[in-house]
């Protein structure tokens, strides 16, 4: 059983910064791809950033140059550093990952409950 918990959300003024964390716990043999999504009520969930086990990163165009994803394998934790926040970044941010759950190479993909980010103008 793997559980994920996001933290770090909050209210910030436009131009400000926040750092989100996603901590995974449970029976984890390794992490493959780690991701951050965001969702606004009434809109489709969208990928914000992802990072592979090897450290390759991918960002949505709307956050390039402002957000940075990173990970700490030893802590089964990954982060989203968000700078120059805009009101349109207001959303529920959710972390997802593909986990190795045994030594046979089996994987599991799951996510957390989300953390709210609100950016005021």
């Amino acid at each position: 059983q793997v559980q994920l918990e996001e933290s770090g959300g909050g209210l910030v003024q436009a131009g400000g910064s926040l750092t989100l964390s996603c901590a995974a716990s449970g029976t984890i043999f390794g992490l493959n791809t780690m991701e951050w999504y965001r969702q606004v009520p009434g809109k489709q969930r969208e990928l914000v950033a992802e990072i592979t086990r090897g450290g390759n990163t991918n960002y949505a165009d709307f956050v390039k140059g402002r957000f940075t994803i990173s990970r700490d394998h030893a802590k089964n934790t990954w982060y989203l550093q968000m700078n120059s926040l805009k009101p349109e970044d207001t959303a529920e941010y959710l972390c997802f990952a593909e986990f190795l759950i045994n030594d046979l190479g089996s994987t599991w993909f799951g996510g957390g409950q989300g953390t709210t980010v609100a950016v005021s103008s």
Side-chain angles (χ1 to χ4, degrees):
Q1 188 77 13
V2 178
Q3 293 183 325
L4 296 87
E5 184 173 3
E6 300 96 337
S7 61
L11 174 63
V12 64
Q13 287 189 329
S17 299
L18 284 173
T19 300
L20 306 183
S21 299
C22 182
S25 60
T27 304
I28 300 169
F29 280 66
L31 281 161
N32 288 338
T33 302
M34 292 142 276
E35 302 169 326
W36 285 99
Y37 286 79
R38 69 185 189 187
Q39 187 157 24
V40 175
K43 293 189 176 181
Q44 197 168 8
R45 183 179 297 170
E46 53 187 2
L47 178 67
V48 176
E50 59 186 353
I51 185 168
T52 67
R53 184 177 182 84
N56 294 318
T57 57
N58 179 48
Y59 296 93
D61 287 342
F62 52 79
V63 302
K64 281 182 180 176
R66 300 190 297 125
F67 291 11
T68 302
I69 188 170
S70 60
R71 83 273 189 258
D72 186 333
H73 279 297
K75 295 181 179 180
N76 289 328
T77 300
W78 56 107
Y79 309 92
L80 187 67
Q81 173 69 43
M82 305 185 295
N83 298 326
S84 302
L85 282 161
K86 304 175 182 179
E88 51 264 43
D89 294 319
T90 295
E92 188 79 0
Y93 284 73
L94 306 101
C95 62
F96 283 82
E98 181 181 79
F99 298 89
L100 291 168
I101 57 173
N102 57 41
D103 57 4
L104 300 177
S106 300
T107 60
W108 177 80
F109 183 81
Q113 296 298 310
T115 185
T116 301
V117 171
V119 184
S120 62
S121 58

